């Protein structure tokens, strides 16, 4: 197997899993909405890995796969009637609520995945590769830039038009309170803190639990049902 194929095979596997998940879910389901967004990001990471566009393709592939696996683990937990992490619970609980708009579902999923999962994925990757968070900063930024570009497109595509101002006014106000750029900055700080605390046992566990809860609280606010 060629080096690029060896690196991209695990990425291709999570892409296949997300495609299968998307095929199983109703289009309006909140998980399906986020899954479409995240699938596009993961496919683009795979394309760039195949094209050799990452400075450290081994680190980029490892980070991307561990990042995706945390989302898929939350999906598996919910499907098995187990509690997913607190950051994901609002989306799973409200995924079929008729008063929640597709844009809310997409951004709530991005919030959970960036705010919580990405920080833990950085630590997972550092453990696996025997490196420090600083060694992953370029790959972290590249994936983050992909998400930022996609978030802008998602807002443009899913934001109601000017003829739906009754919906758009509260939606604009609600979603204006959350920023992907601020979430990325907080996530990088959280990843560095978790790495520094990795030998601190209870302190690291408490930090992780509080991060999970805080991100879940933000997600619940993003999923506030809006009037028709």
């Amino acid at each position: 197997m060629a080096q690029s194929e060896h690196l991209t095979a695990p990425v291709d596997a999570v892409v296949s899993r997300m495609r299968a998940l998307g095929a199983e879910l109703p289009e309006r389901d909140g998980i399906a909405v986020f899954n479409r967004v995240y699938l596009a990001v993961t496919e683009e990471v795979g394309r760039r890995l195949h094209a050799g566009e990452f400075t450290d393709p081994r680190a980029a592939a490892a980070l991307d796969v561990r990042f995706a696996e945390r989302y898929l683990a939350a999906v598996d937990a919910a499907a098995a009637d187990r509690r997913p992490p607190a950051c994901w619970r609002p989306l799973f609980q409200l995924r079929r609520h008729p008063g929640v708009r597709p844009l809310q579902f997409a951004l709530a999923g991005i919030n959970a995945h960036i705010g919580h999962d990405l920080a833990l994925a950085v630590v997972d990757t550092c453990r696996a590769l025997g490196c420090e968070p600083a060694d992953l900063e370029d790959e972290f930024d590249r994936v983050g830039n992909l998400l930022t570009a996609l978030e802008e497109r998602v807002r443009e595509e899913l934001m109601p038009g000017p003829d739906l101002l009754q919906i758009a006014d509260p939606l604009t106000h609600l979603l204006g309170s959350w920023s992907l750029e601020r979430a990325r900055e907080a996530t990088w700080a959280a990843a560095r803190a978790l790495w520094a605390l990795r030998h601190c046992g209870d302190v690291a566990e408490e930090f992780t639990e509080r991060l999970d809860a805080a991100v879940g609280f933000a997600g619940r606010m993003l999923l506030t049902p809006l009037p028709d």
Side-chain angles (χ1 to χ4, degrees):
M1 180 182 293
Q3 178 69 10
S4 62
E5 292 177 351
H6 174 74
L7 290 173
T8 58
V11 178
D12 293 341
V14 295
V15 165
S16 295
R17 174 77 196 283
M18 281 187 268
R19 286 175 179 165
L21 179 62
E24 295 169 2
L25 295 174
E27 183 177 353
R28 182 63 175 74
D29 182 285
I31 299 300
V33 173
F34 169 72
N35 192 77
R36 289 193 292 273
V37 171
Y38 188 36
L39 174 59
V41 172
T42 310
E43 287 174 333
E44 181 63 15
V45 170
R47 187 196 69 75
R48 294 189 182 195
L49 280 168
H50 278 291
E53 295 183 15
F54 284 98
T55 305
D56 186 343
R58 177 169 172 260
L63 178 60
D64 185 68
V65 169
R66 282 161 178 79
F67 189 29
E69 285 174 343
R70 287 195 168 271
Y71 158 60
L72 294 172
V75 170
D76 289 341
D81 292 325
R82 292 181 281 108
R83 282 165 66 85
C87 62
W88 284 106
R89 284 175 211 154
L91 184 53
F92 282 102
Q93 291 166 354
L94 295 168
R95 62 193 291 181
R96 298 181 181 90
H97 196 296
V100 180
R101 311 300 170 196
L103 179 56
Q104 292 174 266
F105 287 135
L107 295 187
I110 293 172
N111 169 70
H113 204 37
I114 290 289
H116 174 265
D117 293 355
L118 184 54
L120 273 62
V122 169
V123 174
D124 293 342
T125 304
C126 287
R127 290 184 186 278
L129 299 183
C131 65
E132 299 282 327
D135 299 320
L136 299 178
E137 190 167 7
D138 285 347
E139 283 63 42
F140 178 95
D141 286 341
R142 285 176 181 267
V143 173
N145 290 339
L146 281 176
L147 283 161
T148 298
L150 186 64
E151 186 222 12
E152 292 171 357
R153 195 177 82 196
V154 165
R155 285 180 183 263
E156 291 174 0
E157 292 178 356
L158 297 182
M159 180 69 80
D163 56 328
L164 295 175
L165 289 178
Q166 184 178 359
I167 295 174
D169 279 350
L171 185 62
T172 301
H173 175 76
L174 180 66
L175 299 179
S177 65
W178 185 82
S179 161
L180 177 57
E181 189 60 36
R182 289 197 299 269
R184 282 176 57 185
E185 293 171 356
T187 294
W188 184 244
R192 293 175 61 201
L194 282 168
W195 184 249
L197 293 170
R198 66 191 182 280
H199 301 306
C200 295
D202 291 346
V203 176
E205 183 177 350
E206 181 178 355
F207 184 95
T208 302
E209 289 176 356
R210 290 185 180 277
L211 175 66
D212 191 17
V215 174
F217 178 78
R220 191 164 296 280
M221 296 299 291
L222 285 169
L223 292 170
T224 300
L226 301 174
D228 293 329

